Amino acid sequence: MSALEIMDPKMDSGIERSRYNSIEEAIEDGVAPIPLSTDRTLDVQCSIDVMDHLFSCEATWHKGHTLAQTVFTCIYLMRMERTSSHAVLNSFCRILRATCNAIISVVSTARTHEEEDFFTMSFGLPLRDEGDDKCLSILNSVEETISRQLRACKAQTFSKKKTPEDLESLQNNPDMEEDYCRAILCRLRFRKHFYHVVMSMRKPHGRGLELARKHVASCLNELGLMLKSREFLNSQSNITLQDDENCTTASGCQPVGFDVSLNSRLLSPTPPRAVKVLSWSNAIRYFEKLLHDFDVICALSLDPVLENVLHFIVQFQKSVPDLVPRAFLQTLLVQDGKLYGQNLFSDVISRALSLPDIIGDKEFQMNEFVVQLGQLVINLLKILCTNTAWQRRKLGKSLQDWSTISIQLELALKREFGETRNVLHHENMCMRVSKQLLIWTQEQAYWVASRFLTLGFELDLYSPGEYCMVYWYMYVVFTKLIEKMQLRVLSSSETSRRKGKKKKDHSKDSARDTTFSSSCLLLQCYVLLSEGLSMMLAVLRNESRSFQLPSIFNSEQERFMQHFDLLQKARVPEHISYYSFKESSSRAGITDLMKYNFFREIQKIIPSLRGSFSSQPEKLAELRQIEQVAEHNRIALNIISQVGPDDPSLRVSFEFTHHPHFAVAVVKRS
């Protein structure tokens, strides 16, 4: 599990117990009556309350609690056969159970449930039944009956005609019939469409994504109708909603048919303590975000270009998706050892190398290094779909694998180079492929390292006194990454130029090869930001003695190793140590910093990038963030230079107001 706070209910099981020894005893005591009330109007109200509380329980379960402490605290779900005479409740509970079972299957397949050990534990609960495959037809039948009743109510309102005799009203008060029909229908339809979303997204090869997206829109529409029904339902309950955060139903009433501690007595592994269920309003907000996350996943173009896939995952993670959407994303990306279940990872790698001629080549697919790299890419995609803490930890550990295969490739290439220097063209082609494979592998290792470092800011792992070393290390990694990116582009251009010699357009090719691509220029902005911030912090450390690391427990070198030990072990990059950082930072002075004004250089690059990314809103937003950080730091640097970094009245702090990973200097005088 990820780290939990002390006294979190997941860690402290508690000692609460149910007053009942069995479900049958609770039923005999009238905890879960069928019908829910002899008054038909009250029966409908209570049914809606049960639906709403189950809705809140489901959202709470998605947040990492157990089924036994959330959804299956409902006795109607535990004894489904008792609800057969109550069509509305039976259809709702049956499709809810089928949905829970499908989600457990997805999360278990993705193995993201390891973040929350309790999520997939069933504790022997009745998750399956023979009739569950008919849950949709049962619900459709109930929905059609209530829809006919709603249409009859509308017709009666306009024409003053009586309701047809073959239609039985939901409850006894004709004035409230239409509102109750609407309230039940939107809840049943939400369940139906949400079930369709889950089942469509589970289809192999992404075949159900387009259909799932339509059902997502329908789910969001039904959620809006559920919110609208709240005012009516609350007016019928005669309860004033004072504490919305504790109400698990739209009406504000306590639902019947639930016992929060009964399972702890019946199922030995179940924690005895009852968990705090999300309020109905928070559950609505959770499902809205969940559905928006699903919509983003469904909009994925199934592009087999790895760079685009990685970019999509990183962008998706910025919205901080919960466990369930991340599990669906992972199962979509990796199916049967293939990307989207369609593209062999050897072919994905060959596309990344810009070598379309070897796509489908059996010899390339069976190559030992390609097989290993394919598995590393699979692991990388899975890691990127985990939560931020797990992601960073596993990325750090995976660096060793990338480094090892990079070294092995380099050694193999040296052996091959000696044997194939002046021989056949086909063998030279093999050598070029090997070189590009090595460059690409090194590039991926540096990309993983950069992701590892930036995630530290999102997890608040760095103190202000450590920003100098962190930005210095980021500068080194980004510099290496841009170097490998250039080498890969040049190498692939060289290969394509050899194939197209007859065109004799070498001047254009040469100009293209020596020009940074948009991606390289964007990365260059991060290089300049990292170097500029590192040098600014180093100047403040050297000349004003601020941002030092005084500690009686560990030295600066020990902190350096604590943060970068995994990178150091993987030799990413090579020949970099604490002493390299110390030597570099100790020489930093305000004169050099003003001379090489990194932030001004960024402002010169940004305009050309805007044109390149004019059709990409996400990139334009990213450029705006970079530009704001550069502008504010440029102004701060000018003030520090004018006042003097050694001025005792100068107070400099750093805030992440414009970018999550790159700080802005705030200068004040005391």
Side-chain angles (χ1 to χ4, degrees):
M1 257 186 293
S2 301
L4 298 174
E5 294 178 4
I6 294 173
M7 296 307 294
D8 189 300
K10 296 179 197 171
M11 291 193 67
D12 185 5
S13 60
I15 57 172
E16 296 176 16
R17 288 190 176 184
S18 171
R19 58 187 176 133
Y20 302 112
N21 293 315
S22 67
I23 294 174
E24 285 68 26
E25 187 179 330
I27 292 171
E28 287 175 9
D29 199 36
V31 173
I34 293 289
L36 283 73
S37 174
T38 53
D39 184 327
R40 293 180 65 214
T41 301
L42 190 57
D43 178 78
V44 172
Q45 291 176 354
C46 291
S47 299
I48 294 172
D49 288 338
V50 170
M51 294 179 191
D52 285 348
H53 189 74
L54 279 170
F55 180 78
S56 299
C57 286
E58 185 181 13
T60 308
W61 170 54
H62 284 196
K63 285 289 188 179
H65 290 284
T66 67
L67 272 173
Q69 292 172 297
T70 53
V71 176
F72 277 85
T73 57
C74 180
I75 293 174
Y76 295 115
L77 269 173
M78 297 291 285
R79 293 291 184 271
M80 190 84 77
E81 65 278 0
R82 294 184 64 250
T83 65
S84 57
S85 60
H86 198 294
V88 171
L89 196 59
N90 180 266
S91 62
F92 186 91
C93 290
R94 195 172 288 278
I95 199 165
L96 172 62
R97 183 171 66 178
T99 304
C100 291
N101 194 38
I103 289 175
I104 286 177
S105 176
V106 172
V107 176
S108 298
T109 301
R111 299 188 65 81
T112 50
H113 67 281
E114 292 178 357
E115 301 170 18
E116 299 288 358
D117 292 344
F118 292 137
F119 188 90
T120 57
M121 294 178 69
S122 62
F123 300 102
L125 295 166
L127 277 172
R128 294 183 185 86
D129 188 70
E130 290 180 2
D132 282 358
D133 56 343
K134 300 177 182 177
C135 63
L136 266 179
S137 59
I138 294 171
L139 187 138
N140 285 333
S141 175
V142 175
E143 180 194 352
E144 178 58 29
T145 301
I146 300 175
S147 295
R148 289 173 61 201
Q149 178 63 22
L150 177 60
R151 288 193 295 270
C153 289
K154 289 179 179 178
Q156 188 178 13
T157 303
F158 288 109
S159 63
K160 306 298 182 182
K161 293 180 180 179
K162 292 185 179 180
T163 304
E165 294 181 0
D166 62 327
L167 284 178
E168 184 181 0
S169 63
L170 282 176
Q171 43 82 54
N172 299 325
N173 190 334
D175 296 333
M176 296 186 294
E177 183 73 5
E178 185 175 341
D179 289 313
Y180 276 124
C181 284
R182 291 182 188 279
I184 289 182
L185 272 177
C186 63
R187 285 158 173 79
L188 291 178
R189 285 170 176 167
F190 172 81
R191 289 256 59 100
K192 177 181 74 172
H193 290 300
F194 189 68
Y195 178 78
H196 276 301
V197 169
V198 171
M199 300 309 290
S200 297
M201 291 183 71
R202 290 183 68 194
K203 290 182 179 179
H205 309 158
R207 286 197 293 261
L209 294 183
E210 187 177 346
L211 179 60
R213 204 171 186 191
K214 293 177 181 177
H215 286 294
V216 165
S218 299
C219 281
L220 289 169
N221 181 58
E222 299 304 331
L223 282 179
L225 295 175
M226 286 167 65
L227 275 172
K228 284 183 181 179
S229 70
R230 183 175 199 169
E231 184 179 352
F232 164 73
L233 293 171
N234 184 241
S235 67
Q236 299 305 310
S237 67
N238 298 319
I239 294 177
T240 304
L241 285 176
Q242 295 178 345
D243 188 5
D244 182 51
E245 290 304 307
N246 290 321
C247 291
T248 59
T249 62
S251 67
C253 298
Q254 287 294 320
V256 299
F258 291 84
D259 190 307
V260 295
S261 303
L262 184 58
N263 284 329
S264 65
R265 184 181 288 273
L266 302 179
L267 308 168
S268 57
T270 307
R273 185 188 293 278
V275 302
K276 180 176 173 57
V277 176
L278 288 176
S279 69
W280 189 75
S281 298
N282 285 336
I284 288 280
R285 284 190 283 272
Y286 167 78
F287 275 102
E288 283 177 343
K289 185 178 185 308
L290 173 66
L291 289 164
H292 283 302
D293 288 337
F294 279 163
D295 191 58
V296 172
I297 294 171
C298 292
L300 183 59
S301 63
L302 306 187
D303 185 356
V305 178
L306 182 61
E307 183 180 355
N308 297 341
V309 176
L310 296 178
H311 175 73
F312 174 85
I313 303 174
V314 171
Q315 288 296 122
F316 181 71
Q317 286 280 24
K318 287 181 180 179
S319 66
V320 195
D322 285 293
L323 175 68
V324 173
R326 287 188 280 105
F328 273 92
L329 176 59
Q330 185 185 312
T331 53
L332 170 64
L333 293 173
V334 182
Q335 300 176 27
D336 302 323
K338 299 177 182 178
L339 183 64
Y340 312 123
Q342 299 173 345
N343 304 282
L344 292 171
F345 278 96
S346 57
D347 294 342
V348 173
I349 292 170
S350 64
R351 284 190 181 91
L353 299 177
S354 301
L355 294 171
D357 289 351
I358 59 173
I359 293 176
D361 184 85
K362 295 296 182 183
E363 187 178 349
F364 183 78
Q365 291 173 0
M366 299 303 293
N367 182 276
E368 178 187 355
F369 293 116
V370 174
V371 171
Q372 291 181 40
L373 285 170
Q375 190 58 51
L376 283 181
V377 173
I378 290 174
N379 292 340
L380 177 59
L381 295 178
K382 290 182 176 181
I383 289 169
L384 292 175
C385 291
T386 59
N387 66 31
T388 307
W390 269 62
Q391 189 181 150
R392 188 176 189 274
R393 186 162 58 248
K394 288 184 175 290
L395 282 175
K397 292 179 179 178
S398 72
L399 269 173
Q400 189 68 52
D401 298 326
W402 285 100
S403 177
T404 300
I405 196 168
S406 177
I407 292 169
Q408 291 174 346
L409 266 169
E410 194 168 5
L411 291 172
L413 185 60
K414 285 179 180 178
R415 289 196 301 269
E416 285 294 318
F417 182 77
E419 296 170 4
T420 62
R421 180 148 49 180
N422 295 309
V423 285
L424 298 175
H425 172 75
H426 175 71
E427 292 175 323
N428 284 331
M429 181 61 184
C430 290
M431 187 174 66
R432 286 199 301 276
V433 170
S434 300
K435 283 183 178 179
Q436 286 177 249
L437 198 60
L438 172 60
I439 294 168
W440 178 82
T441 304
Q442 292 170 337
E443 181 187 346
Q444 298 310 304
Y446 287 119
W447 187 91
V448 170
S450 67
R451 180 73 179 157
F452 173 84
L453 291 169
T454 54
L455 285 176
F457 288 104
E458 296 180 22
L459 294 166
D460 294 325
L461 298 181
Y462 310 129
S463 67
E466 296 165 340
Y467 290 165
C468 183
M469 67 171 70
V470 173
Y471 284 123
W472 177 83
Y473 215 109
M474 285 171 64
Y475 155 69
V476 175
V477 169
F478 281 135
T479 302
K480 288 289 186 181
L481 178 57
I482 203 169
E483 176 188 314
K484 298 301 176 184
M485 190 181 291
Q486 279 184 285
L487 281 173
R488 174 175 56 81
V489 172
L490 290 170
S491 180
S492 60
S493 298
E494 176 67 24
T495 302
S496 61
R497 186 160 56 241
R498 291 194 183 197
K499 292 177 182 178
K501 281 182 183 179
K502 293 179 182 178
K503 295 183 180 178
K504 296 184 179 180
D505 201 5
H506 298 304
S507 59
K508 290 183 180 179
D509 286 340
S510 179
R512 182 191 60 193
D513 292 344
T514 54
T515 303
F516 276 109
S517 67
S518 300
S519 298
C520 288
L521 277 176
L522 180 60
L523 194 54
Q524 182 66 20
C525 290
Y526 286 123
V527 170
L528 292 168
L529 267 185
S530 302
E531 189 174 11
L533 283 167
S534 176
M535 282 194 69
M536 184 191 293
L537 285 155
V539 167
L540 293 170
R541 281 159 52 105
N542 295 339
E543 301 192 20
S544 68
R545 299 298 172 187
S546 56
F547 299 100
Q548 300 283 354
L549 291 172
S551 175
I552 61 173
F553 298 107
N554 50 12
S555 64
E556 184 180 62
Q557 183 175 358
E558 287 172 328
R559 291 198 184 191
F560 185 93
M561 291 308 299
Q562 287 167 1
H563 284 304
F564 312 124
D565 183 47
L566 291 172
L567 283 78
Q568 293 280 290
K569 287 179 178 177
R571 298 167 63 195
V572 177
E574 288 184 315
H575 313 304
I576 293 297
S577 66
Y578 168 74
Y579 300 105
S580 308
F581 159 70
K582 195 68 177 174
E583 182 183 356
S584 174
S585 60
S586 62
R587 294 200 304 262
I590 190 65
T591 306
D592 291 334
L593 185 56
M594 293 302 296
K595 181 181 177 181
Y596 305 105
N597 198 322
F598 305 102
F599 306 118
R600 188 181 293 118
E601 290 298 315
I602 292 170
Q603 292 177 313
K604 293 178 183 177
I605 296 173
I606 293 291
S608 63
L609 283 175
R610 279 207 187 93
S612 303
F613 297 132
S614 58
S615 61
Q616 302 178 50
E618 290 176 354
K619 289 290 186 183
L620 290 175
E622 187 178 351
L623 287 176
R624 180 60 183 155
Q625 286 181 323
I626 294 170
E627 188 177 33
Q628 288 178 324
V629 173
E631 175 63 16
H632 284 78
N633 282 325
R634 184 186 65 80
I635 295 170
L637 184 57
N638 288 337
I639 296 171
I640 293 170
S641 176
Q642 291 169 9
V643 176
D646 55 348
D647 190 318
S649 65
L650 192 69
R651 296 288 181 269
V652 183
S653 60
F654 286 86
E655 299 175 355
F656 295 89
T657 50
H658 298 290
H659 197 287
H661 308 143
F662 294 94
V664 169
V666 179
V667 183
K668 296 178 181 179
R669 296 190 71 178
S670 57

